[in-house]
Amino acid sequence: MDAANEAQVQIRLVAKQKKYEVPDAPLVVPQQLQRYGLSEIVNHLLGLEAPVPFDFLVDGQFLRESIASYLKEHSLSAENVLTLEYVESMLPPTEIASYSHDDWISSIAVASSDRFVVGSFDGIVRVWNAQSECVSEMRGHESAVKCVAAASLDPVKKSKVEILSGSQDRTAIAWGSKGGQRKPLYAARGHTDSVEAVAVNPANTHFVTASADSTIRFWSLAVPKESEDAELEAQDATPMVKKRKGVNIMTKAAIGTLSGHVGAVTSVCFDADRESNVYSGGWDHSVRTWDVAAGVNVATSLCDKVILDVDYSAHSQLIATGHADRSVRLWDPRSSDNTVVKLRLSSHKGFVSSVAWAPNSAYMLASASHDSTIKVWDIRSRTPLYTVHAASAKDDGKKLLALDWSRSLLLAGGESGSLRIHSVNSQYEDGPDSTQA
C-alpha cells in the first residue's frame, strides 16, 4: 500500500434520521474511502442484518469522490475532524405501468394512490385507477385540455368539486359526482385566452387559474346555485364557450383578477403555509408572488428565460421553476433580493416542461423535459441522482409535458400519449422538522 492510501483522517458521523444514529465519537478511517466504504462502516456500527445504502454530505454537499480528493479540492487539513452527515440513499425510480391515450398528455394530477387525473389535447379529462382501468372520461371542453387539478379528498375539507380542468377554450370546468358519474358542475369563465394552469388551495375552498391572456383569476370552489354573471353567460353564444351539445353548464364568475405579467402566464401554485400567497411564472421571465386576498403583486423575481412551470415546497419553503433554457432554478420567496437564483440545476437536453417536489422531503425534486427524460434531484447536489429514460421504444425521444409526484408514485406524460407511472422508494423522508434546504 503506498503512502497516499495509508493516510488517515478523523471523521464524525451524524444522522438526522433517528433510527440510523450512531455514537457521536470520532473515528479514524483511511482517506481513500468513498461512499461505498463509508456506507459499510455505518451498517457495521448499526448492526443491520440487511445492508442499507447511504449517501454522505460534507457542508451540505454530497460526497461524490474519496475523502482524500475532497480534502485536496477544498484545501483542508487531514488533521481536522471531518463531519459527515449520512442519509439513506434513494433507490432508482422504476417504471411499473404505462397507460395509453390517443393524443398528447398535457397535464397530470394524482388524486389518490388509486386515482390519476389526466388532461389531454383531445379535449377529454380521464381518470385512471391503479389497475390500468380508465374509470371516467369527462367531456365538456371544446378544445385541448391544458391543465388539471384534484381537490382534496380529506373528509374535513371535502367539496362537491372533485376535479378541475382548464382548456384552450378559455374555461375551467369543475367536475363532481352525480348519480355515480362525474359530470360538470360549473364552468369558470372570464379569461380571454387559453387557461394554462389551475391550482386548488390547501383548505379546499378556492382555486386560481393562469391564462395566456396574461392574468391570474381567483375563484371560490363552491358550486353556485345559479349562473353568477349574466354578461359571461351571454358569451356562451361565441364559438369558444358555447354549451357542450346543448348541455347547460352553470357559469362561475371570478372573485378577483391579478394583473402584472406581460405575456402568457404558464403556471401557478399556492403557498401551503400562507394560503393567501400564490406563485406564478410566465413568458415574461418572472416569478411573481401574489396576495390573492388583497389582489396585489407583492414580489417579482426575474431571470433571463421563459418559465414553463412552478412548484412550491412546504418542507424547504423554496420555489422550483422549469425553463426553456433546459434548466431548473430554485428561488427563496423569503429573500429580499428578487434577482438572485438560489440554485440552478442543469442536465436536461431540452425544455424543462414540468417540475414537482417530493411530498415528504425538503431536498428531493423531479423534473420532466422535452428530451423525454425525468430527472430526480437532491438539491444538495448540482448533478441529478437519477435520469429516468422511457422504458418503451414508443415513448423514447418523445417530449414530456407533465409530471406529478405523490407519495411513492412519480407520473409523467406528453407527446407519446403514454402515462408513465414510476415507483419511488417512499422511505426517503427528512422528518417533520425539515424546513430548510
Side-chain angles (χ1 to χ4, degrees):
M1 211 178 258
D2 59 33
N5 287 338
E6 292 174 353
Q8 296 181 319
V9 65
Q10 288 192 85
I11 63 170
R12 285 181 62 246
L13 295 169
V14 297
K16 290 182 178 178
Q17 294 168 296
K18 289 188 177 182
K19 64 180 179 178
Y20 293 135
E21 286 181 347
V22 299
D24 185 9
L27 300 172
V28 178
V29 301
Q31 289 186 26
Q32 66 181 3
L33 283 185
Q34 299 186 33
R35 169 181 166 267
Y36 182 78
L38 290 166
S39 193
E40 284 188 320
I41 290 174
V42 174
N43 275 271
H44 175 73
L45 292 172
L46 292 170
L48 298 175
E49 293 183 7
V52 175
F54 292 99
D55 281 306
F56 296 82
L57 298 105
V58 187
D59 292 330
Q61 292 293 316
F62 280 103
L63 183 68
R64 297 302 190 199
E65 56 198 346
S66 69
I67 296 176
S69 298
Y70 179 86
L71 293 175
K72 182 179 179 180
E73 181 181 344
H74 293 83
S75 302
L76 297 175
S77 170
E79 296 179 1
N80 297 326
V81 178
L82 189 66
T83 299
L84 299 175
E85 178 189 345
Y86 56 97
V87 296
E88 187 176 353
S89 298
M90 178 182 176
L91 299 176
T94 304
E95 187 169 318
I96 57 174
S98 179
Y99 305 164
S100 294
H101 296 71
D102 294 332
D103 210 334
W104 292 22
I105 291 173
S106 64
S107 46
I108 300 167
V110 179
S112 71
S113 60
D114 192 46
R115 288 292 184 273
F116 316 134
V117 184
V118 181
S120 176
F121 277 75
D122 61 8
I124 302 172
V125 179
R126 294 174 176 85
V127 179
W128 295 81
N129 65 19
Q131 289 73 48
S132 306
E133 299 170 326
C134 182
V135 295
S136 291
E137 282 195 356
M138 293 171 282
R139 303 168 187 267
H141 287 292
E142 294 293 328
S143 189
V145 174
K146 295 301 298 290
C147 53
V148 291
S152 173
L153 296 177
D154 185 334
V156 177
K157 302 177 181 178
K158 193 168 177 61
S159 163
K160 290 182 179 179
V161 176
E162 299 174 4
I163 294 165
L164 290 160
S165 59
S167 168
Q168 287 181 344
D169 67 9
R170 308 184 307 212
T171 71
I173 294 180
W175 306 86
S177 295
K178 288 183 177 180
Q181 293 185 328
R182 288 188 178 90
K183 296 184 178 181
L185 302 178
Y186 58 79
R189 295 192 171 103
H191 283 297
T192 59
D193 208 331
S194 174
V195 178
E196 296 292 305
V198 60
V200 183
N201 71 337
N204 216 45
T205 57
H206 294 81
F207 67 98
V208 287
T209 51
S211 172
D213 67 10
S214 79
T215 70
I216 298 163
R217 295 188 183 234
F218 183 50
W219 318 75
S220 166
L221 196 62
V223 179
K225 294 182 178 178
E226 58 184 17
S227 290
E228 294 182 340
D229 193 305
E231 182 179 344
L232 291 175
E233 186 74 4
Q235 294 178 8
D236 281 352
T238 64
M240 292 297 288
V241 292
K242 64 184 179 181
K243 298 179 181 65
R244 176 79 184 184
K245 295 181 179 179
V247 177
N248 187 8
I249 304 175
M250 284 192 296
T251 295
K252 163 76 77 171
I255 297 172
T257 300
L258 307 174
S259 300
H261 277 286
V262 179
V265 188
T266 59
S267 46
V268 66
C269 65
F270 276 93
D271 185 320
D273 301 310
R274 296 169 291 275
E275 288 199 20
S276 64
N277 281 9
V278 165
Y279 305 112
S280 63
W283 285 8
D284 60 3
H285 307 176
S286 72
V287 176
R288 295 177 186 259
T289 303
W290 306 85
D291 184 330
V292 292
V296 295
N297 182 186
V298 297
T300 300
S301 301
L302 298 171
C303 63
D304 55 0
K305 292 297 178 181
V306 167
I307 295 163
L308 301 176
D309 196 23
V310 301
D311 195 27
Y312 174 79
S313 168
H315 293 279
S316 67
Q317 298 181 37
L318 297 176
I319 300 167
T321 53
H323 295 262
D325 66 351
R326 304 176 292 182
S327 297
V328 175
R329 290 175 172 83
L330 303 183
W331 312 76
D332 189 343
R334 300 160 295 181
S335 173
S336 58
D337 189 341
N338 296 325
T339 61
V340 175
V341 175
K342 183 177 176 68
L343 186 65
R344 178 180 173 183
L345 304 172
S346 298
S347 178
H348 280 294
K349 297 179 180 178
F351 289 6
V352 179
S353 52
S354 190
V355 291
W357 287 98
N360 299 315
S361 174
Y363 307 111
M364 304 302 295
L365 173 72
S367 56
S369 169
H370 286 191
D371 65 13
S372 86
T373 69
I374 304 165
K375 291 186 184 287
V376 178
W377 309 82
D378 186 309
I379 63 173
R380 291 168 291 196
S381 174
R382 291 180 179 272
T383 57
L385 289 180
Y386 299 107
T387 297
V388 185
H389 296 274
S392 166
K394 172 194 171 190
D395 302 327
D396 189 34
K398 302 297 185 181
K399 298 174 185 176
L400 288 177
L401 304 176
L403 181 74
D404 197 18
W405 191 339
S406 177
R407 298 186 181 181
S408 61
L409 294 176
L410 184 60
L411 283 71
E415 181 184 2
S416 71
S418 297
L419 176 64
R420 292 161 51 181
I421 303 176
H422 305 80
S423 173
V424 292
N425 62 320
S426 57
Q427 69 266 29
Y428 195 106
E429 300 181 6
D430 308 317
D433 58 342
S434 295
T435 56
Q436 299 295 324

